[in-house]
Amino acid sequence: MRTYLFKDYLDMKHGKFLPMQTIISEEFGRHFFIDIGFNFISAPSLVGGGYDESQLNYIVDWDEWEGVSMSKLLEIYRQLTWNQWQEDKDKAHADMCEYMEAVENGEIQYL
């Protein structure tokens, strides 16, 4: 089973987490994600590409913060949420244009 909710993924024995957005940070050596609830998640990057799915966890659960640049970490989160907002906005705009065209062509009528 697949899920966009990281919490649900943690409760599954077999499943796949599908992040809404991903950023790979060479500086941190990690992949960063947001789920559908905008939870901030991370996993170590693998040298050959991809990330270690067995070590996915919430950023808030990190124990070691020494040497972590909070401003860089927050910039990653800002970029993840910005990217998701842009995608959502573009989809809503495309859906509205499609709806308006259908109204203009008489395919549907206003309620």
Side-chain angles (χ1 to χ4, degrees):
M1 173 177 247
R2 302 178 200 216
T3 182
Y4 293 103
L5 292 167
F6 187 63
K7 181 182 176 298
D8 290 351
Y9 167 76
L10 293 175
D11 294 337
M12 291 182 207
K13 291 187 187 216
H14 305 286
K16 177 106 175 120
F17 169 59
L18 302 172
M20 298 298 290
Q21 294 291 325
T22 302
I23 288 179
I24 301 167
S25 170
E26 290 184 20
E27 182 173 346
F28 282 97
R30 302 184 71 83
H31 280 57
F32 292 94
F33 317 95
I34 56 171
D35 69 1
I36 200 165
F38 290 88
N39 292 295
F40 197 18
I41 301 150
S42 180
S45 298
L46 300 172
V47 174
Y51 60 92
D52 186 348
E53 292 184 29
S54 70
Q55 294 192 46
L56 280 164
N57 65 343
Y58 293 108
I59 300 296
V60 72
D61 291 339
W62 285 6
D63 293 326
E64 184 59 47
W65 289 95
E66 187 175 333
V68 174
S69 170
M70 190 61 70
S71 63
K72 290 178 182 176
L73 193 60
L74 290 172
E75 177 58 24
I76 290 171
Y77 185 74
R78 187 199 66 76
Q79 191 62 53
L80 288 165
T81 56
W82 175 261
N83 293 348
Q84 187 60 46
W85 179 79
Q86 288 287 67
E87 280 186 22
D88 291 346
K89 177 183 67 70
D90 292 347
K91 183 179 181 326
H93 177 75
D95 289 349
M96 181 56 123
C97 289
E98 186 178 316
Y99 173 75
M100 294 301 293
E101 184 177 332
V103 168
E104 289 171 2
N105 292 337
E107 298 169 20
I108 58 175
Q109 296 178 3
Y110 288 106
L111 298 177

